[in-house]
Amino acid sequence: MADPIDFYFDFSSPYGYLAAQRIDDLGARHGRQVVWRPFLLGVVFKTTGSEALLGVPMKGAYSAHDLQRSARRIGVPLIMPATFPFMSVAASRAFYALCDEDPQGAKKLAKALFHTAFGKGGDIGSAAAVIAVAESVGLDGEALGRALQDPAIKERLKAEVQAAIDAGVFGSPFFIVEGEPFWGHDRLAHLEEWLKTGGW
Amino acid sequence: MADPIDFYFDFSSPYGYLAAQRIDDLGARHGRQVVWRPFLLGVVFKTTGSEALLGVPMKGAYSAHDLQRSARRIGVPLIMPATFPFMSVAASRAFYALCDEDPQGAKKLAKALFHTAFGKGGDIGSAAAVIAVAESVGLDGEALGRALQDPAIKERLKAEVQAAIDAGVFGSPFFIVEGEPFWGHDRLAHLEEWLKTGGW
């Protein structure tokens, strides 16, 4: 089996949401599994001294426009949540609470969370909101509620964020395959060409 | 005649250099003239609070890698100048000194300056270096040397930088056609699709 594609994203990243609609199909076209790896962009921004794109003068207005244009281009609905940016800690912990024992359930939850946040402009910022989304796709909300309080899960997310930083990840979405890094939804074309050609 | 494409760039921007290799052909494919508009990214960064990509922790290393990968992908040589970032004031003034009376000469100079800086890793940071490049492509170096001291040319560049900011330009390269903004070398595909389809 060929190496998987590591797909790093923050649940509060709208370009991450767009990439999430496409990355599994892209991987499948080239016989690659995709490992979803949510992390916390805010922690990384402390390292890079960056800040959320949409909050930057001039860039923010352009990005809001570019996001909608990029979404329309790939035929994906994009409705920004009323509260933005929002905390993605609960969503990320919920993912890691599931992903070892039920990787398909974790991915299903991640897709539902993204859909709620950016497909419908809803709220996924709190533990209660994340649990409600989990239950809406048939997952065990009560068990998830307990897991979100579990110190081991909190530590797991910290370790995953550190692993992302150690891998050189500084933005969302970010892809790494066989050591080759690709940053941004707009690098999916390069990533696909890389997989198709073996690199250049 | 259809509206032209405004091509905003800073002479010290390597992604601007990559875009400069492609934008005229792209315009020609869609019956569009391309108006080259050098500006000073450093002035804009004071507005947006941004800083040069290559100087940012983590992002810098990735960008150095992505630049070379992007250059190889389009078959363009890319050698970073020993001094980087460098001052692009003289290069920009030289362009505006020529562009009204000799637009083809101005574009020829711009291409030669980019080629010296990033195709050969040479120096275009000083007035003397810019004049040498101009003479190497058959332009009148003495007249250009006088123009670079002309207060009217200095004011012209200031006005062009302000016009870029007023148009919403905050990065290099940046393209605007019929009011539609596209930021980044990696948005050329969107720009071309936009011209082909009339937008979406």
Side-chain angles (χ1 to χ4, degrees):
Chain A
M1 186 75 190
D3 274 8
I5 300 166
D6 283 318
F7 168 38
Y8 296 91
F9 63 93
D10 186 310
F11 277 111
S12 75
S13 157
Y15 285 112
Y17 159 76
L18 294 184
Q21 313 305 309
R22 305 169 67 197
I23 188 62
D24 282 339
D25 287 349
L26 190 158
R29 284 197 290 278
H30 302 282
R32 304 276 183 164
Q33 291 211 288
V34 179
V35 182
W36 289 38
R37 296 187 176 279
F39 72 104
L40 302 176
L41 200 49
V43 177
V44 179
F45 280 173
K46 283 181 195 156
T47 302
T48 59
S50 300
E51 54 183 314
L53 198 58
L54 290 165
V56 178
M58 298 179 78
K59 269 191 194 178
Y62 171 82
S63 298
H65 180 80
D66 182 70
L67 266 170
Q68 292 296 341
R69 185 173 62 193
S70 296
R72 289 196 307 274
R73 184 167 182 257
I74 60 172
V76 166
L78 175 60
I79 301 171
M80 292 297 289
T83 302
F84 184 86
F86 55 81
M87 293 288 285
S88 50
V89 174
S92 303
R93 282 182 187 157
F95 180 89
Y96 287 114
L98 284 171
C99 77
D100 291 337
E101 292 188 9
D102 182 7
Q104 291 314 309
K107 207 176 257 197
K108 186 166 70 173
L109 174 61
K111 289 180 179 180
L113 287 166
F114 261 146
H115 179 66
T116 299
F118 296 108
K120 301 195 293 185
D123 170 32
I124 63 165
S126 66
V130 168
I131 291 168
V133 171
E135 290 180 335
S136 77
V137 292
L139 295 165
D140 182 342
E142 213 172 304
L144 192 60
R146 283 192 303 273
L148 289 177
Q149 296 303 322
D150 183 346
I153 294 299
K154 296 180 183 180
E155 285 306 312
R156 170 71 181 270
L157 177 57
K158 276 189 199 168
E160 294 284 349
V161 172
Q162 189 56 50
I165 293 172
D166 292 345
V169 173
F170 56 80
S172 168
F174 203 104
F175 313 91
I176 301 179
V177 62
E178 288 160 4
E180 190 70 21
F182 298 89
W183 169 38
H185 174 245
D186 45 21
R187 277 291 176 279
L188 281 178
H190 283 205
L191 168 58
E192 177 138 37
E193 204 175 308
W194 193 269
L195 293 173
K196 200 184 301 181
T197 63
W200 59 83
Chain B
M1 187 72 189
D3 274 8
I5 300 166
D6 283 318
F7 167 39
Y8 296 91
F9 62 93
D10 186 310
F11 277 111
S12 75
S13 159
Y15 285 112
Y17 159 75
L18 294 184
Q21 313 305 310
R22 304 169 69 197
I23 188 63
D24 282 340
D25 286 349
L26 190 158
R29 283 197 290 277
H30 302 282
R32 303 277 182 163
Q33 292 212 288
V34 179
V35 181
W36 290 37
R37 296 186 175 281
F39 72 104
L40 303 176
L41 201 49
V43 178
V44 178
F45 280 172
K46 284 182 193 154
T47 303
T48 59
S50 298
E51 54 182 313
L53 198 58
L54 289 165
V56 178
M58 299 179 79
K59 269 190 195 181
Y62 171 84
S63 297
H65 180 81
D66 182 70
L67 266 169
Q68 292 296 342
R69 185 172 61 192
S70 297
R72 290 196 308 274
R73 184 167 182 258
I74 61 172
V76 167
L78 176 61
I79 300 170
M80 292 296 290
T83 302
F84 184 86
F86 55 82
M87 293 288 285
S88 50
V89 174
S92 303
R93 283 181 186 156
F95 180 90
Y96 287 114
L98 285 170
C99 76
D100 291 338
E101 292 188 8
D102 183 6
Q104 290 314 310
K107 208 177 256 198
K108 185 166 69 173
L109 175 62
K111 289 179 180 180
L113 288 166
F114 261 145
H115 178 66
T116 299
F118 295 107
K120 301 195 293 186
D123 170 33
I124 63 165
S126 66
V130 168
I131 291 167
V133 171
E135 290 180 336
S136 77
V137 293
L139 295 165
D140 182 343
E142 212 171 306
L144 192 59
R146 282 192 303 274
L148 289 177
Q149 296 303 324
D150 184 345
I153 295 299
K154 296 181 183 181
E155 285 306 312
R156 170 70 180 271
L157 177 57
K158 275 189 201 170
E160 295 284 348
V161 173
Q162 189 57 51
I165 293 173
D166 292 345
V169 173
F170 55 81
S172 169
F174 202 104
F175 314 91
I176 301 179
V177 61
E178 289 160 3
E180 190 69 21
F182 298 88
W183 169 37
H185 174 246
D186 44 22
R187 277 291 175 279
L188 281 178
H190 283 204
L191 169 58
E192 177 138 39
E193 204 175 308
W194 193 269
L195 293 172
K196 199 185 300 182
T197 62
W200 59 85

